[in-house]
């Protein structure tokens, strides 16, 4: 897939905190009198300037010989307004070119909304934005705005031996994957029902999660460390990467962090298991979730101290050629009804997003393409502003327009929840009309020729009532 990106030129002017956040002109579902993520602090000398004619080329640092804007006092405010407008316009043009024109809010449809396993049923009287604060739309808005948002950042320390101090125009897949992993940690440590409260001091656990995803090598799950862990999968500063490589890179990073700390003090206290097919899908066909393999992953993660640990399941998929084959859409939508759902890592070619919910044939997503200044978050500083890690404005994209290369995420906190997930996944495959996203098997068998074979399971078998005629060879 080819990234479509605008060119940003660093200047030698220093800048203060600068951010482009959710557009104030868009309608929010949350009735905050003062919405912190709709504010934008403009710097006197911004450190990025967009080119007037966007082109398709990789992001690169500009040479020092390029023209620099005049930052003299008499025209400083002109520079502020002109530069901010150019940067904002370029990013928005990029989004509209790739994702399509901005589509925000929810439609007047009364169809139910599924947001990572939680259903919001809209009645006839609540299909407008004038619904009372206690009604479904507000509850949905509070849930959506509590999800953790990761976006492009600028002003961080160089990544490895490179000169990159920003991930603008190339880091959207990395940021989308950070959102999925941060959400898994949020569910594990604070629960699915947790909601961010603007009027209260942030919880230490919540700040600790954000701290892990800071933009420096000191933060365990920064893009700095992710790129380092994923070098063997093609991750590099300035380069776009696909969902499969990112999933494998996270697997490597989590394994590395587990080895660096003891079992009781793991930063990421859940196993990561990649669901793939034979030889990582090289033989084609739907990926296979093998229960014995997941159990082995959990045992090894706990250094054999327990038989089960919380597990994050990642399922990289390729569901078509240029766009998702319509045969897979019903199954994709159905995954959001799973209580274990962590959404979809994907978007359109060259523009990754984090899809967190669905309504009919559209997917609600968090967009990493806004550019914000680096923010330092730690557990000790309880009054830190974390508004840049949240968004009040749901955006949506037609599911039929998604790039076919994507990844599903699921979080299972315990064995009972994993068993429930397997039952749901098995039923989903059975109802897929021959187009399953992935299949479930108990183990890998070896036939008389010594060749490993896998067999799909029925939900009856997972529940303990196994019948020989219910096995089906792939």
């Amino acid at each position: 897939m080819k990234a479509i990106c605008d060119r940003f030129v660093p200047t030698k002017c220093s800048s203060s905190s600068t951010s482009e956040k959710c557009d104030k002109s868009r309608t929010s579902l949350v009735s905050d009198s003062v919405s912190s993520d709709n504010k934008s602090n403009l710097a006197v000398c911004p450190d990025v300037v967009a080119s007037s004619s966007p082109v398709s080329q990789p992001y690169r640092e500009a040479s020092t010989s390029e023209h620099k804007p005049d930052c003299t006092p008499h025209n400083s405010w002109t520079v502020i307004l002109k530069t901010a407008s150019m940067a904002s316009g370029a990013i928005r043009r990029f989004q509209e070119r790739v994702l399509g024109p901005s589509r925000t809010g929810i439609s007047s449809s009364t169809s139910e909304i599924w947001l990572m396993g939680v259903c919001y049923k809209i009645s006839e009287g609540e299909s407008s934005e004038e619904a009372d604060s206690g009604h479904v739309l507000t509850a949905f808005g509070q849930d959506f705005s509590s999800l953790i948002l990761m976006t492009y950042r600028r002003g961080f320390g160089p990544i490895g031996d490179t000169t990159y101090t920003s991930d603008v125009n190339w880091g959207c897949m990395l940021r989308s994957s950070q959102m999925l992993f941060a959400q898994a940690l949020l569910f594990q440590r604070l629960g699915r029902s947790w909601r961010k409260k603007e009027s209260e001091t942030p919880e230490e656990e919540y700040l600790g999660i954000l701290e892990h995803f800071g933009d420096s090598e000191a933060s365990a799950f920064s893009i700095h460390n992710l790129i380092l862990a994923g070098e063997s999968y093609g991750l590099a500063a300035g380069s776009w990467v696909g969902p499969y490589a990112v999933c494998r890179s996270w697997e490597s990073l989590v394994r590395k962090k587990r080895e660096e700390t003891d079992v009781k003090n793991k930063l990421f206290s859940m196993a990561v298991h990649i669901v793939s097919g034979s030889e990582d899908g090289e033989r084609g066909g739907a990926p296979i979730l093998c229960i014995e393999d997941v159990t082995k992953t959990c045992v090894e993660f706990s250094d054999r101290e327990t038989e089960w640990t919380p597990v994050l399941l990642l399922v990289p998929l390729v569901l078509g050629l240029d766009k998702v084959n319509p045969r897979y859409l019903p199954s994709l939508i159905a995954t959001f009804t799973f209580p274990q759902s962590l959404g979809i890592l994907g978007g359109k070619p060259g523009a990754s997003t984090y899809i967190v919910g669905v309504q009919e044939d559209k997917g609600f997503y968090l967009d990493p393409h806004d550019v914000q200044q680096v923010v330092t978050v730690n557990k000790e500083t309880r009054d830190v502003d974390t508004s840049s890690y949240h968004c009040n404005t749901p955006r949506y994209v037609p599911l039929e327009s998604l790039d076919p290369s994507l990844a599903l995420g699921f979080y299972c906190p315990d064995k009972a929840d994993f068993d429930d997930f397997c039952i749901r996944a098995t039923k989903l495959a059975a109802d897929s009309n021959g187009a399953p996203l992935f299949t479930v098997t108990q183990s890998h068998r070896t036939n008389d020729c010594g060749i490993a074979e896998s067999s799909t399971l029925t939900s009856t078998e997972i529940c303990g009532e196994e019948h020989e005629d219910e096995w089906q060879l792939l």
Side-chain angles (χ1 to χ4, degrees), residues 87-318:
S88 175
I91 289 293
R92 190 55 53 203
R93 288 194 299 274
F94 164 77
Q95 289 174 292
E96 291 186 355
R97 255 197 337 271
V98 182
L99 295 173
S102 297
R103 299 181 174 97
T104 61
I106 65 174
S107 66
S108 59
S109 170
T110 58
S111 299
E112 61 190 16
I113 302 173
W114 283 95
L115 187 65
M116 292 189 188
V118 177
C119 182
Y120 293 93
K121 295 183 178 180
I122 305 173
S123 65
E124 292 288 345
E126 291 180 328
S127 59
S128 71
E129 295 176 0
E130 298 177 354
D132 294 338
S133 59
H135 288 172
V136 176
L137 288 182
T138 297
F140 168 77
Q142 290 172 342
D143 194 353
F144 182 88
S145 62
S146 295
L147 302 178
I148 294 179
L149 170 72
M150 302 285 180
T151 70
Y152 289 149
R153 296 282 180 175
R154 62 167 177 260
F156 49 69
I159 298 176
D161 297 329
T162 74
T163 59
Y164 285 99
T165 58
S166 170
D167 62 316
V168 173
N169 291 328
W170 57 267
C172 58
M173 177 59 72
L174 304 184
R175 296 300 184 181
S176 297
S177 69
Q178 281 185 321
M179 286 190 253
L180 189 150
F181 271 73
Q183 208 57 53
L185 274 177
L186 193 69
F187 288 174
Q188 181 191 34
R189 299 184 180 183
L190 294 173
R192 179 64 183 87
S193 61
W194 179 84
R195 300 291 181 267
K196 187 177 186 297
K197 299 178 177 61
E198 298 293 340
S199 60
E200 297 182 7
T201 302
E203 297 94 326
E204 182 176 327
E205 198 69 68
Y206 159 75
L207 295 177
I209 293 171
L210 296 184
E211 184 177 0
H212 293 328
F213 295 87
D215 294 297
S216 71
E217 292 183 3
S219 297
F221 307 123
S222 64
I223 62 172
H224 297 64
N225 290 322
L226 181 59
I227 288 174
L228 180 62
E231 286 180 341
S232 61
Y233 296 103
L235 266 65
S239 299
W240 201 89
V241 69
Y244 177 82
V246 166
C247 290
R248 285 297 183 188
S249 300
W250 274 104
E251 182 184 42
S252 297
L253 179 57
V254 170
R255 185 186 303 115
K256 177 182 177 182
K257 293 303 176 183
R258 178 183 65 83
E259 293 171 352
E260 292 176 352
T261 57
D262 59 72
V263 175
K264 295 181 180 178
N265 297 308
K266 282 193 283 286
L267 292 172
F268 195 80
S269 52
M270 67 180 75
V272 176
H273 184 84
I274 310 298
V275 178
S276 60
S278 300
E279 298 181 1
D280 280 342
E282 292 182 4
R283 296 182 183 176
I288 304 165
L289 188 151
C290 178
I291 295 175
E292 285 187 356
D293 288 349
V294 177
T295 303
K296 180 181 178 181
T297 298
C298 292
V299 171
E300 291 178 349
F301 185 82
S302 67
D303 287 342
R304 303 187 181 279
E305 290 191 0
T306 62
E307 294 184 357
W308 190 264
T309 60
V311 62
L312 172 60
L313 303 172
L314 298 174
V315 191
L317 298 168
V318 179

Side-chain angles (χ1 to χ4, degrees), residues 7-10 58-64 66 163-166 170:
R7 175 183 170 196
F8 280 75
V9 182
Y59 171 80
R60 65 175 179 84
E61 297 288 347
S63 66
T64 56
E66 293 184 71
T163 59
Y164 285 99
T165 58
S166 170
W170 57 267

Side-chain angles (χ1 to χ4, degrees), residues 15 223 268 385 402 420:
S15 66
I223 62 172
F268 195 80
D385 181 10
L402 292 182
D420 176 76

